[in-house]
Amino acid sequence: DQQVKQNSPSLSVQEGRISILNCDYTNSMFDYFLWYKKYPAEGPTFLISISSIKDKNEDGRFTVFLNKSAKHLSLHIVPSQPGDSAVYFCAASGAGNNRKLIWGLGTSLAVNP
Amino acid sequence: DTGVSQDPRHKITKRGQNVTFRCDPISEHNRLYWYRQTLGQGPEFLTYFQNEAQLEKSRLLSDRFSAERPKGSFSTLEIQRTEQGDSAMYLCASSAGLAGASYEQYFGPGTRLTVT
């Protein structure tokens, strides 16, 4: 059972436009959410996070929105750049002390010049 | 800037051999995690250390897997009697884990294991 779901395996966007990546979760005990970017043959790179007590967090071109009632979060990248082309993973952390991350399957973003 | 490092980056081994991977976390981080990622999947949690104590092991971690963090700094992950199903990217991450701090985990480049 996939507790964190990224239902779009891929997304293609024009350079300069907005990229919106979506993530849904099923476990209401998750209290912290993170987005990572991953290039092939490299480890994930942390992008941005949000606590469940907030509904928005912004860092430069990246904004994450959290809708707790819908158990849904999204990552907005604006403006999108060709260097943003990568696989984006949504991850969630539970209230337990270990804070292990539960991951979605990822969305492959292609930003076209 | 010393991030998380992992060694080796790639390992090819024959089925039945033992392999050991090393992870050096960010120096001030007291939490260390191992994950495994296969093609088309997100990373899956394997085990977690707080300082030198191994506090949780996933059911994915069979008896052939063992991890240590002897002095609360670097960690090793050993796989005995490797099987083809062990082929994956093994990722190490560290986190500050201080009370009241954020819980971002920072990842190393991974070790790609291929069992032939």
Side-chain angles (χ1 to χ4, degrees):
Chain A
D1 61 333
Q2 196 77 18
Q3 297 186 70
V4 176
K5 301 177 185 179
Q6 294 178 256
N7 291 321
S8 298
S10 62
L11 176 67
S12 183
V13 171
Q14 282 300 117
E15 180 178 6
R17 305 296 291 269
I18 184 171
S19 295
I20 300 176
L21 296 102
N22 294 303
C23 178
D24 297 291
Y25 62 96
T26 58
N27 190 338
S28 58
M29 298 302 292
F30 290 144
D31 67 350
Y32 205 78
F33 303 90
L34 307 91
W35 285 94
Y36 286 83
K37 174 181 179 180
K38 189 177 185 301
Y39 294 115
E42 294 184 11
T45 300
F46 170 72
L47 278 176
I48 192 168
S49 61
I50 188 166
S51 166
S52 62
I53 63 174
K54 297 186 176 182
D55 55 17
K56 177 183 176 181
N57 188 26
E58 189 172 355
D59 184 1
R61 296 186 298 113
F62 301 93
T63 303
V64 56
F65 296 92
L66 175 62
N67 182 333
K68 279 189 68 177
S69 60
K71 294 190 176 69
H72 176 82
L73 62 155
S74 60
L75 174 68
H76 292 209
I77 306 172
V78 55
S80 300
Q81 300 173 354
D84 296 330
S85 298
V87 178
Y88 288 77
F89 287 94
C90 171
S93 178
N97 187 52
N98 62 21
R99 311 304 292 186
K100 65 184 178 185
L101 297 180
I102 310 299
W103 298 72
L105 297 182
T107 296
S108 178
L109 173 66
V111 180
N112 306 306
Chain B
D1 175 22
T2 51
V4 179
S5 61
Q6 292 186 244
D7 183 70
R9 293 291 305 275
H10 300 92
K11 178 70 177 179
I12 300 173
T13 191
K14 292 185 177 180
R15 187 176 54 192
Q17 298 294 306
N18 300 343
V19 294
T20 300
F21 309 142
R22 176 179 170 125
C23 171
D24 288 88
I26 295 171
S27 59
E28 63 269 25
H29 285 181
N30 62 1
R31 292 173 177 240
L32 187 147
Y33 301 81
W34 286 97
Y35 293 85
R36 180 172 69 186
Q37 185 176 22
T38 53
L39 195 63
Q41 302 293 315
E44 295 174 296
F45 170 78
L46 292 179
T47 190
Y48 152 68
F49 291 85
Q50 183 157 336
N51 299 311
E52 67 276 6
Q54 186 176 19
L55 298 184
E56 183 171 345
K57 291 168 59 173
S58 163
R59 290 174 307 205
L60 292 175
L61 222 60
S62 75
D63 292 344
R64 298 183 297 104
F65 288 72
S66 62
E68 294 183 341
R69 194 182 182 196
K71 298 182 180 179
S73 57
F74 73 92
S75 175
T76 58
L77 177 68
E78 180 182 16
I79 309 174
Q80 296 183 327
R81 305 180 303 281
T82 52
E83 302 173 355
Q84 287 186 320
D86 297 331
S87 296
M89 173 77 87
Y90 289 83
L91 296 163
C92 176
S94 70
S95 171
L98 300 174
S102 57
Y103 291 98
E104 288 86 9
Q105 295 179 21
Y106 296 89
F107 283 80
T111 295
R112 168 71 65 187
L113 173 66
T114 302
V115 182
T116 62

